[in-house]
């Protein structure tokens, strides 16, 4: 039976727990880490430690941040009366990179997913409702356009609308640069439903 | 402009240097590391540090090992008169997992690749020739069946054969479970050339 050095096996096991990395990729990464100069490998170890020590969550929007509140919540040039709700901090990063939005965010830290045992109480919904005040003009629901994301958006809309705040959902339709011929049926239906005057 | 926490950016940059991991995957991994409990993330950091501290190379076959010589070179139940030459320690792992070989190994630590500036002197060839003695019965060339691997095998065969040692090359042909219809032409040609009586 093949046995690798114990510490190598351990590294492979830990790497294989990362998302999208199976045992084969984990082994490849482990062998790469073995090959590179010691400083380069330790830089990765330190970056991981650093991130866990320095980075926390913004107590207002739950964005990942080294400061609290985060730089978005404290930015006076942003619109503080619009809140965009996303599932994860990585979604916030995607929206910010698109540079089309200038309001605040609220990160739910997940989405309602009964199959995974995640209910509304596991998300930052209470904190969201606490943020919505008289001066809040709009809540944009930017959860993912999949089954769980849609369900979460609907659930939130039912809670927020009665508070008298304008509640919107990001548009679902054909991605820019795509080809109608290869689009799936649900996306085409959504694109038709969401059609607008030009 | 979007800016993430500095330590997160740093982690993404370091992760993106790993093989097969682009910036998007690196960001996904970084956000995952941010989400998991601190102990789980630190376990990864420690596994990396551990591997770089404990693991070295076997001074005989250059396998990665926590001991020197490695457990393969010191195993009395293995045939010490057959040496299988591979490019990397990960190739040794693949051969050992197949469980069809019971001899020793020699890891070249690369292959001859002039385009990457890697010549014979950069590999553990001198050390290999030093290992071949009067009692060596066979050298199996198990470098990869691609251009550089074949060139390296040919180069080694020219050095080893004059020493009077039987030198063999692993068979190239159709992989087990594959379909002739979808095999590439070079592989089919090799499979025909290497045909055997049944």
């Amino acid at each position: 039976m093949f046995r690798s050095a114990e510490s190598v096996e351990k590294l492979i096991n830990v790497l294989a727990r990362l998302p999208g990395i199976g045992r084969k990729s984990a082994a490849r990464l482990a062998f790469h880490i073995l090959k590179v100069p010691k400083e380069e490998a330790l830089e990765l170890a330190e970056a991981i430690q650093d991130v866990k020590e320095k980075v926390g969550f913004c107590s207002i929007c739950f964005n990942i941040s080294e400061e609290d509140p985060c730089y978005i919540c404290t930015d006076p040039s942003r619109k503080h009366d619009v809140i965009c709700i996303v599932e994860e901090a990585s979604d916030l990063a995607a929206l910010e990179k698109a540079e089309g939005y200038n309001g605040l965010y609220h990160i739910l830290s997940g989405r309602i997913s009964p199959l995974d045992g995640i209910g509304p109480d596991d998300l930052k919904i209470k904190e969201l409702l606490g943020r919505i005040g008289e001066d809040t003009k709009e809540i944009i629901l930017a959860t993912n356009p999949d089954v769980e994301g849609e369900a979460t958006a609907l659930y939130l809309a039912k809670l927020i609308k009665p508070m008298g705040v304008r509640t919107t959902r990001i548009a679902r339709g054909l991605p820019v640069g795509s080809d109608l011929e290869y689009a799936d049926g649900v996306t085409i239906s959504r694109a038709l439903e969401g059609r607008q005057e030009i």
Side-chain angles (χ1 to χ4, degrees), chain A:
Chain A
M1 235 288 295
F2 173 68
R3 61 179 175 92
S4 188
E6 205 179 310
S7 52
V8 180
E9 278 298 320
K10 165 88 182 161
L11 178 60
I12 295 176
N13 288 336
V14 178
L15 284 169
R17 289 204 302 241
L18 294 173
I21 295 189
R23 257 201 89 78
K24 282 214 170 173
S25 313
R28 204 157 61 99
L29 290 176
F31 281 116
H32 172 85
I33 289 168
L34 279 164
K35 266 188 96 172
V36 297
K38 195 171 177 180
E39 308 79 60
E40 201 177 319
L42 294 188
E43 207 180 344
L44 174 56
E46 277 156 27
I48 294 168
Q49 286 164 333
D50 244 35
V51 113
K52 293 307 272 190
E53 262 160 40
K54 288 187 189 159
V55 178
F57 295 95
C58 169
S59 58
I60 300 174
C61 72
F62 298 95
N63 183 16
I64 48 167
S65 173
E66 290 185 13
E67 305 105 43
D68 182 23
C70 74
Y71 79 99
I72 292 179
C73 287
T74 52
D75 186 344
S77 74
R78 301 185 79 110
K79 287 187 195 162
H80 281 240
D81 50 6
V82 185
I83 302 174
C84 177
I85 300 175
V86 292
E87 293 177 15
E88 302 287 355
S90 46
D91 300 325
L92 180 153
L95 280 160
E96 281 296 287
K97 270 175 193 147
E99 291 188 1
Y101 179 66
N102 196 31
L104 302 184
Y105 290 93
H106 190 85
I107 286 125
L108 290 176
S109 311
R111 70 273 209 51
I112 298 171
S113 173
L115 286 176
D116 302 315
I118 300 170
D121 295 340
D122 301 311
L123 308 177
K124 307 289 182 195
I125 294 178
K126 205 171 68 225
E127 291 84 351
L128 168 68
L129 299 178
R131 283 181 73 186
I132 301 174
E134 275 182 16
D135 47 349
T136 310
K137 280 199 191 130
E138 183 176 353
I139 299 285
I140 302 171
L141 297 165
T143 51
N144 282 328
D146 53 13
V147 177
E148 289 94 352
E150 295 290 356
T152 309
L154 275 176
Y155 178 88
L156 291 175
K158 274 191 190 157
L159 286 178
I160 299 164
K161 272 193 165 177
M163 299 170 85
V165 183
R166 184 178 176 219
T167 312
T168 55
R169 176 86 175 108
I170 47 161
R172 279 119 326 154
L174 292 159
V176 177
S178 67
D179 196 324
L180 233 162
E181 186 180 350
Y182 302 114
D184 64 291
V186 185
T187 299
I188 293 177
S189 303
R190 285 290 190 166
L192 283 171
E193 282 171 30
R195 69 189 181 277
Q196 287 162 326
E197 300 275 352
I198 57 164

